[in-house]
Amino acid sequence: MHETATEKHNALSTWLPQCRWFSQKTTPGIKHRLRCIDSIVLPDRKTPSEAVQIEILGFHTDIAEITYVAPIRYTRDQDGTLLCHDATQDECFHVWLLEVVLQNKTVPTSCGRLRGHLTQTTLLHNLDIQRLAVSPLGANASNTSTHIRAFKSVTAPTDYVAKLLRTFSTGTHPESEIGTYLAQKKWPNTPALVGWLEYSPQRDGQGGTVATLHKFIPGSTSLWDFSIDQLAHYRLGFSNLRATAAEVGKLTAEMHQALIDTDSSSAFAPIAPTVLESEASANAMVDHAQNVWNTAKAAQLSPPLRHRIDQVLSHYVSINDALRSAVTSPHTAAYIRVHGDYHLGQILITPESRRIKVIDFEGEPQKTLRERRRRTSVYKDLASMSRSFDYLCFQAHRTGVAQRSATELVRIFLEAYAMESGGACFYPDNEKERMALLNGYMLDKAIYELGYEVHYRPDWIDVPLQALERHLNTGSLLN
Ligand SMILES: Nc1ncnc2c1ncn2[C@@H]1O[C@H](COP(=O)(O)OP(=O)(O)O)[C@@H](O)[C@H]1O
Ligand SMILES: [Mg+2]
């Protein structure tokens, strides 16, 4: 099929607002803000006239340009109008992806290039793939993950997870950086990164990660889904979760140990936070909190919620001060690389063996790559997992399960972490520092959650709001 640039532009402008991962749906004037930066037509023996194309799209917001990556199959309707279809579940896209990644290939695009990186080069081999079966995974909020089963002629099928990162930036991406690092270390508690796909807008210019390929963990489910199921359907569900919380604490300690490299020039070397660094972290937290306070002030809410949020807002100065003092008070613990977006949905459990593994080292997608790769306190991860236990108890109660406080699970999680981490350079040597950091980072996370829920999920506002109210009433987010 031959499509003109104008036809493509029109079709893309109509299609993008229907895509879950397209974060600018409500921005007016999509057509004028959109530009096609680059593209590549993938080889397709079955339907060459409607071959999949990977489009690199630029979208101008009022502040910056966001780059999106979209594999698309174009067709025409009865009137001849060009239509876009998401091609991330097309066999042809994944055959191409496996070939490029598993064979370390470089392929030119119209302006730049795509390049495969195989993490374990010993695997470099003739692909021998007869057929692929692909099925979607996860909620596809900002990325698109797919389970791929590659059937071979001689050996048993191989299973992979391909994740397409929908938003592109040049520079080192933590998902492929940490994945490569942990695969080289042979850290067993994460699905091994098999390889990744790099895109460079210019042939010889700097690139960035657009997709990753991991080993698939058969029979696994997220620890969030597993825990909800335990609470909803098993009489001993909460007792079982006590054991799980302890396992997560141990796993988290092992993850932080694994994220340390003793080579002082490495991006994974621990650092002692300087006054400047602590100040910069505190400023970033307070600036972010201020944005959330502004969003919450302007939000249209029911009168009871409005009243409660106004109560919290009336204490915003003291909350900002609490954030600042938690991060700038003198530290004995080093800053290290952390997971960065740690919650129960980022742990896979295989219910039969009860083995748990950490996934998704991407960090918080709305932050810059530089911010996500910054070394920080391990309490960034410990606090966000603690908040996840609070969400879990809230959600279980909402679906009819007896009310449970998350505090017991959090305590068990933190005690198990401490058992493994005592004496580690990243673990504070005194209780006062530990409590200050836990409270500071939990406060930061609860403020982030408030902003998110006000914007996207008003039904969930109560979770962070209750946590902030607890902080104001008792000085702690736990009860
Ligand atoms: N290696 C894996 N094996 C099996 N399922 C996986 C694997 N990696 C991810 N998944 C599934 O895909 C979902 C999304 O994966 P994740 O990497 O967290 O993507 P996202 O960036 O969209 O959060 C997970 O919740 C899980 O259900
Ligand atoms: Mg995830």
Side-chain angles (χ1 to χ4, degrees), residues 143 163 339 341 343 345-346 359-360 362:
N143 304 311
K163 174 149 99 172
H339 183 283
D341 188 16
H343 54 78
Q346 309 283 43
I359 56 167
D360 198 355
E362 192 190 353

Side-chain angles (χ1 to χ4, degrees), residues 137 143 161 163 191 215-217 220 346 348 359-360 362:
L137 280 172
N143 304 311
V161 174
K163 174 149 99 172
K215 282 201 169 155
F216 178 76
I217 309 295
S220 60
Q346 309 283 43
L348 291 182
I359 56 167
D360 198 355
E362 192 190 353

